[in-house]
Amino acid sequence: MTSWQKILKKSITSPEELVRHLGGNSHDLARVAARYPLRINPYYLDLIKKNGKPLYRQAVPDPRELDDADGMTDPLAEERLSPVANLVHKYPDRALFLVCNKCAMYCRFCTRKRKVGTPGMRITEQTLEAGFNYLRKTPRIREVLLSGGDPLLLNDSRLEYILGRLREIPSIEVVRIGTRVPCTLPMRVTGELAAMLKKFHPLYINTHFNHPAEITPEATLACTRLADAGIPLGCQTVLLKGVNDDARTMYRLMRKLLAIRVKPYYLFQADLTRGTSHFRTRIETGVNIMRYLIGNLSGMAVPTFALDAPGGGGKIPLTPPYVNSCGKTLEFTTWQGTPCSYPNQSKN
Ligand SMILES: *Cc1c(COP(=O)(O)O)cnc(C)c1O
Ligand code: SF4
């Protein structure tokens, strides 16, 4: 067993252990954990102990997860959009391929909490083969996004095998991995892993940090190893009530990400997933945060605030309105709120 696997093995997975470390009501925790999986590894537990609420809320089961009557089990209609099990094909040129059903921590707000870390998500040799077959016979798919769960919870040789099989399909130009491991279990990102991944370029990684306190020396080292292997790094942050739903926190997060060579990519409005309503903010919250970020923060550190449309409509950007009207002139407001105009003409 490698050292990251040993750390993962010491994770809290039962309500009793959780109460011993962080207190709380074991009866409530047990009810939630019976429905949705619980895993907090020693690395993230330590971060929770040091930083409190914004990290605690992401990881510790909350009885409100069971009270959510309005939420949808599969808000993005991923099951309907899966031509074969564990492969979601929603856009013309890219597909999401779920290759691992486990994560280094089970986030309470997870969009796929209906199945991630449960027997409801079965990944087998057969589902993988069916996925490879679909990708081979669908050459308009030029980019494959490996996700799960977390693909970096596979061991190096398994991941290398999957990447190798994808690289045998000539129509696949780009591989992208979605992983929260640099944030939740950064010691998983070993020098060997980075050296292996480097063989499969063009390879991109989108990670997932939600709070500036998650950017630790360990997380910095993980991202440095990946960036040094030539892997462009992005971040998909989720806007979460009580975690990062204020402009100053988000500003610090985005700045710190850029400084560890992670380019903020998306800031997501929380999906309508059942069991997550206590995390959801109003649209204006995100738009106002964006209004603060744009102009105050390096453009390279400004993510796109996006909503993943319920029912599988895809991601749509939610940009603060700057344009007031567009006729003979474009009438707009600057980031500082000053009215401005621009003549709207093209001379031949
Ligand atoms: C988010 C998503 C993608 C990738 O979308 P980008 O805008 O390219 O990041 C692809 N497929 C599915 C099913 C998705 O949910
Ligand atoms: S790491 Fe991603 S897939 Fe895993 S529980 Fe968290 S949000 Fe869900």
Side-chain angles (χ1 to χ4, degrees), residues 322-347:
Y322 291 95
V323 171
N324 304 318
S325 67
C326 183
K328 282 204 179 64
T329 59
L330 177 80
E331 300 295 331
F332 64 99
T333 313
T334 68
W335 66 275
Q336 289 167 306
T338 318
C340 198
S341 70
Y342 176 92
N344 187 23
Q345 39 191 254
S346 130
K347 296 220 171 86

Side-chain angles (χ1 to χ4, degrees), residues 76 78 88-91 94-96 143 145 176 236 265-266 308 315:
L76 309 177
E78 292 189 329
V88 188
H89 189 190
K90 167 154 84 174
Y91 294 110
R94 52 211 191 279
L96 189 68
E143 179 175 338
L145 283 75
R176 197 196 305 183
Q236 309 199 158
Y265 177 48
Y266 280 131
D308 216 337
K315 297 170 182 76

Side-chain angles (χ1 to χ4, degrees), residues 100-161:
C100 181
N101 68 354
K102 299 184 188 67
C103 298
M105 163 173 117
Y106 291 116
C107 311
R108 308 322 299 171
F109 52 85
C110 180
T111 285
R112 279 184 212 116
K113 72 188 284 166
R114 69 182 181 281
K115 63 179 188 178
V116 165
T118 78
M121 188 169 188
R122 269 174 46 82
I123 290 158
T124 63
E125 290 310 314
Q126 286 72 30
T127 69
L128 276 181
E129 283 308 318
F132 293 136
N133 277 332
Y134 182 81
L135 294 169
R136 198 175 303 113
K137 66 174 216 258
T138 318
R140 69 177 185 282
I141 297 175
R142 301 190 178 284
E143 179 175 338
V144 175
L145 283 75
L146 297 182
S147 183
D150 199 314
L152 292 195
L153 278 210
L154 299 172
N155 65 36
D156 290 4
S157 63
R158 183 74 182 152
L159 190 58
E160 183 168 16
Y161 167 76

Side-chain angles (χ1 to χ4, degrees), residues 244-259:
N244 58 15
D245 60 336
D246 69 281
R248 288 303 302 179
T249 303
M250 203 62 89
Y251 174 90
R252 283 191 294 130
L253 172 62
M254 299 303 157
R255 239 178 83 177
K256 284 187 143 193
L257 283 169
L258 198 64

